[in-house]
Amino acid sequence: MRDKIMRPTRFAAAIGFAIAAASAQAGECTYTVQNSWNTGFVASIKITNDDTTAIDGWEVNWNYGNNVISNSWNANLAGAYTATNLSWNAVIQPGQSIEFGFQGTLNGDVVETPIVTGSVCTSNPDPDPDPDPDPDPDPDPDPDPDPDPDPDPMGKFRVNAQGNITKDGEEMPIQCGNWFGLEGRHEPSNDVTNPSGAPMELYVGNTFWANGSAGTGRTIQQTMNEIKGMGMNVIRFPIAPQTLNPNDPQGKAPFLKNHSSVRSNNAREAMEDFIKLADQNDLQVIIDIHSCSNYLGWRAGRLDARPPFVDVTRTDYDFLREDYSCSATNNPDSVKHIQAYDKEKWLDDLREIAGLSELLGVSNILGIDVFNEPWDYSWGEWKDLTTEAYAAINEVNPNVLIFVEGISDSYDNQDGTPDDIGNSPHGDPDTTPNWGENFYEFAANPLDIPKERLVISPHTYGPSVFVQPMFMDPAQPECEGLKGHEAGAAKCNIVIDKDRLVPGWEEHFGYLRDQGYAVIMGEFGGNMDWPNKASLGDQKLWKGHITPGVDQDWQIAFTDYMVEKDIDGCYWGMNPESGDTGGWYGHAYDPISNTAGWGEWLDFDQRKTNLLNKIWGQ
């Protein structure tokens, strides 16, 4: 919470955030006080393997006289005090380090620096017993929501007074695309290997069956070279909680589609290797928790989502997932698989992601998008959750930005009665926001996150993703108010009128840019040829009475608005496997004529390149 994060005392500054270290045959254990204030502290323990053989499993111990730990991350904590490895950080290779952290209370005015013991750190020199013989008896109680003990960290991201992003004090444009895949995809229910599975794999454009099983030869480095050459400097990188688990079977063979030459051992390894390679290529990364489950994906809407899910009656739709839930309770009879998720697990995941900069030794993690499209929360609920998200991230890494998406126009109260729907104000009722677009209530009830750390990150799309009521043709009064598949079934025409759309964008998020907030579209884009090359269900509903090009009209109108408002954004998607939007890269796949072309990338779509060049000022 913000009121618990205080300005460091002069005593804490004077001891230089003291370190107690212990070297050993297997490694070195270092206890570091990262920050302290008049009632509490944040500290970490780093284990460095300086031996020639790998450490496989570790346990360390330490003790306090008066200090007490209230929460921890990246380790299992028991007793007073013993920490053991998690599954993903058990092995420490020679020359590598892992680090775990914790927050605690002082129970007095002394920040303790205990000796760390354990089988991986057997030699224990005494810490300085009195680093400051004259501590400040009257520490400064002023609140400081952004403690920053390191005056010159590398990879320190901030929002300046103009609402623009800076890295290490230098303003940088956000020329961004989404590179998705590790959050999980839906395998068809008739898939031979993994029916209705949800494999987590970074799309590379090089599948194992391409070119007679020789693959296409494409690598991640090749793609990074190409997108950098086109001007991209930031990648939004969606993951799921399960991505963080190297042992999740859906992140491993035999469920992976990539060619063996570019295949990772597991989803966690793919994530870490990608972030490190992006850092080497000076590409910044926004890590996005895209769902509570790799099985539910974008449709979740909340941390503990459960059926019934949206679009269960969608035409020719295989992605129903009525048998999966992220809720531990109140599930309908359809649920057979529970991946229970809740606020505490989410906050732990945010801390773990915040620790990746230190763990991987990178300086390119620009921000954390705390949860994708939280459409199933009221504004008050979402504000409370984001306040806790900021505090959890800031405990571990005060140098990253907090990306927050908006809500929607309504929400299910999730009390076991699916029809109990609440309405969220969004201004003019005729301009319906997309999931993640609605920041209307921010004006009267702003988020409790410092402006220099906050990025407003709405999502908005045109008809290829969802047909909104404001797309209906005024010449068809019978279609007024219709949306989605009901509009398709009624053979409604679609007309993109920028003058009709801009007032909604202004009410939902644009006004915040005028107030100096950083506004970065987390997702925008679409299928230029829709309803051609769309899902079979969309083709049945729309092909024949809709002339292809209406989504291109929408994208032109929206990118014009972005330029007018000086709003940057992350195009969805950069890679082309998204069924409703396609990608910046072309796709050999066609759902009718070339299903074997799935995962084979073609050249950049020049129409999309033109849009990106427009908003990037190229």
Side-chain angles (χ1 to χ4, degrees):
M1 298 293 185
R2 290 184 64 188
D3 61 352
K4 292 183 180 179
I5 302 174
M6 311 297 287
R7 193 180 307 279
T9 67
R10 281 196 286 155
F11 170 61
I15 66 173
F17 302 100
I19 295 175
S23 60
Q25 290 181 337
E28 181 181 87
C29 301
T30 306
Y31 184 104
T32 304
V33 180
Q34 297 177 327
N35 182 43
S36 71
W37 52 99
N38 60 333
T39 60
F41 67 96
V42 174
S44 65
I45 292 175
K46 178 186 285 188
I47 304 171
T48 300
N49 184 356
D50 57 9
D51 205 349
T52 57
T53 58
I55 295 171
D56 188 1
W58 49 265
E59 176 181 302
V60 296
N61 307 276
W62 70 103
N63 269 298
Y64 300 113
N66 293 306
N67 295 179
V68 176
I69 291 178
S70 55
N71 60 77
S72 64
W73 48 93
N74 295 347
N76 292 311
L77 191 65
Y81 286 93
T82 297
T84 57
N85 58 272
L86 300 176
S87 60
W88 58 267
N89 63 4
V91 176
I92 312 174
Q93 298 294 340
Q96 293 186 345
S97 301
I98 66 93
E99 185 170 4
F100 62 93
F102 35 87
Q103 180 178 5
T105 55
L106 297 183
N107 291 329
D109 61 355
V110 176
V111 183
E112 299 178 47
T113 55
I115 294 171
V116 183
T117 62
S119 60
V120 295
C121 39
T122 57
S123 176
N124 303 297
D126 291 334
D128 184 350
D130 189 8
D132 185 351
D134 185 24
D136 185 351
D138 185 21
D140 181 3
D142 292 342
D144 184 353
D146 183 17
D148 188 7
D150 183 351
D152 270 320
M154 294 301 292
K156 177 179 178 179
F157 295 93
R158 288 292 183 268
V159 176
N160 65 18
Q162 292 73 44
N164 298 324
I165 308 301
T166 67
K167 180 178 182 180
D168 300 327
E170 296 292 327
E171 190 171 304
M172 61 175 291
I174 305 300
Q175 299 176 179
C176 178
N178 284 273
W179 193 331
F180 57 97
L182 275 179
E183 76 275 24
R185 68 172 176 265
H186 172 67
E187 292 284 46
S189 55
N190 62 356
D191 185 78
V192 175
T193 304
N194 192 16
S196 296
M200 299 169 287
E201 181 176 31
L202 189 65
Y203 298 122
V204 178
N206 187 355
T207 54
F208 69 79
W209 60 83
N211 294 327
S213 301
T216 66
R218 175 171 286 277
T219 65
I220 294 177
Q221 182 59 63
Q222 175 188 343
T223 301
M224 288 186 176
N225 290 341
E226 291 171 354
I227 62 177
K228 280 196 67 178
M230 298 294 282
M232 186 174 289
N233 66 343
V234 179
I235 297 168
R236 182 172 178 264
F237 192 59
I239 65 171
Q242 295 75 23
T243 311
L244 299 170
N245 178 9
N247 297 315
D248 193 296
Q250 290 292 320
K252 296 181 174 184
F255 303 138
L256 307 183
K257 304 290 191 183
N258 282 338
H259 191 267
S260 58
S261 61
V262 290
R263 186 182 301 156
S264 298
N265 291 316
N266 56 70
R268 172 81 189 210
E269 177 184 276
M271 177 192 73
E272 293 188 356
D273 288 347
F274 181 88
I275 294 170
K276 289 187 287 188
L277 187 61
D279 187 59
Q280 294 166 21
N281 283 272
D282 196 28
L283 286 163
Q284 316 310 306
V285 175
I286 302 162
I287 301 176
D288 155 51
I289 297 185
H290 207 69
S291 181
C292 59
S293 162
N294 59 315
Y295 280 87
L296 298 188
W298 51 266
R299 70 191 311 163
R302 60 184 293 126
L303 302 176
D304 56 349
R306 62 170 176 265
F309 295 125
V310 295
D311 291 347
V312 292
T313 60
R314 191 168 172 175
T315 303
D316 286 355
Y317 201 49
D318 190 56
F319 180 35
L320 301 180
R321 298 300 198 203
E322 295 296 290
D323 54 340
Y324 275 86
S325 176
C326 289
S327 177
T329 60
N330 293 327
N331 286 303
D333 292 340
S334 65
V335 171
K336 310 301 180 187
H337 312 281
I338 296 176
Q339 293 175 303
Y341 204 58
D342 56 30
K343 182 178 73 173
E344 294 310 315
K345 291 180 180 179
W346 173 61
L347 294 175
D348 283 343
D349 285 344
L350 291 174
R351 293 185 185 100
E352 185 171 339
I353 294 167
L356 289 174
S357 295
E358 177 71 20
L359 179 68
L360 303 180
V362 298
S363 63
N364 67 327
I365 299 180
L366 183 155
I368 300 173
D369 190 336
V370 296
F371 196 72
N372 186 70
E373 296 179 355
W375 56 268
D376 211 2
Y377 285 114
S378 69
W379 180 255
E381 291 173 318
W382 184 228
K383 175 183 174 179
D384 289 345
L385 286 169
T386 60
T387 302
E388 294 194 62
Y390 164 68
I393 293 168
N394 199 56
E395 291 169 8
V396 181
N397 188 344
N399 296 323
V400 298
L401 300 177
I402 315 301
F403 282 67
V404 178
E405 301 178 31
I407 55 173
S408 186
D409 60 337
S410 61
Y411 58 94
D412 180 350
N413 288 325
Q414 288 282 304
D415 59 358
T417 54
D419 294 328
D420 187 9
I421 303 297
N423 293 316
S424 294
H426 56 90
D428 186 339
D430 292 334
T431 56
T432 306
N434 281 265
W435 288 352
E437 182 180 320
N438 184 11
F439 286 88
Y440 181 81
E441 292 179 85
F442 186 109
N445 189 16
L447 297 175
D448 196 14
I449 299 173
K451 197 172 183 178
E452 67 170 5
R453 299 288 300 285
L454 173 63
V455 178
I456 304 298
S457 192
H459 292 187
T460 193
Y461 285 107
S464 71
V465 173
F466 190 74
V467 174
Q468 298 281 12
M470 57 274 198
F471 302 158
M472 294 295 96
D473 187 348
Q476 291 180 295
E478 69 274 18
C479 292
E480 182 178 357
L482 296 185
K483 60 184 178 181
H485 293 76
E486 61 183 4
K491 304 299 181 185
C492 296
N493 296 324
I494 292 175
V495 175
I496 301 301
D497 181 354
K498 184 181 175 185
D499 291 339
R500 193 176 179 188
L501 301 177
V502 166
W505 296 332
E506 281 289 288
E507 284 190 309
H508 300 156
F509 58 86
Y511 75 96
L512 292 170
R513 185 61 177 148
D514 298 334
Q515 296 177 13
Y517 284 92
V519 178
I520 307 293
M521 303 305 300
E523 295 181 19
F524 71 102
N527 175 357
M528 292 280 192
D529 300 303
W530 185 88
N532 291 350
K533 300 183 181 179
S535 68
L536 295 179
D538 266 15
Q539 291 193 42
K540 283 184 179 180
L541 282 171
W542 298 99
K543 196 172 179 181
H545 75 280
I546 295 294
T547 301
V550 292
D551 200 88
Q552 183 175 7
D553 293 343
W554 183 92
Q555 292 187 60
I556 291 170
F558 185 67
T559 51
D560 284 346
Y561 175 75
M562 292 175 67
V563 172
E564 293 162 8
K565 299 291 291 189
D566 190 25
I567 291 175
D568 292 325
C570 299
Y571 194 80
W572 187 284
M574 188 210 71
N575 49 316
E577 287 85 357
S578 177
D580 49 8
T581 69
W584 185 17
Y585 281 93
H587 204 191
Y589 170 80
D590 183 276
I592 296 175
S593 63
N594 187 14
T595 57
W598 187 93
E600 182 179 343
W601 299 6
L602 306 177
D603 292 337
F604 292 111
D605 185 324
Q606 187 61 48
R607 298 167 298 176
K608 295 185 175 183
T609 298
N610 293 341
L611 291 180
L612 294 176
N613 286 342
K614 176 174 62 176
I615 60 176
W616 294 349
Q618 297 183 172

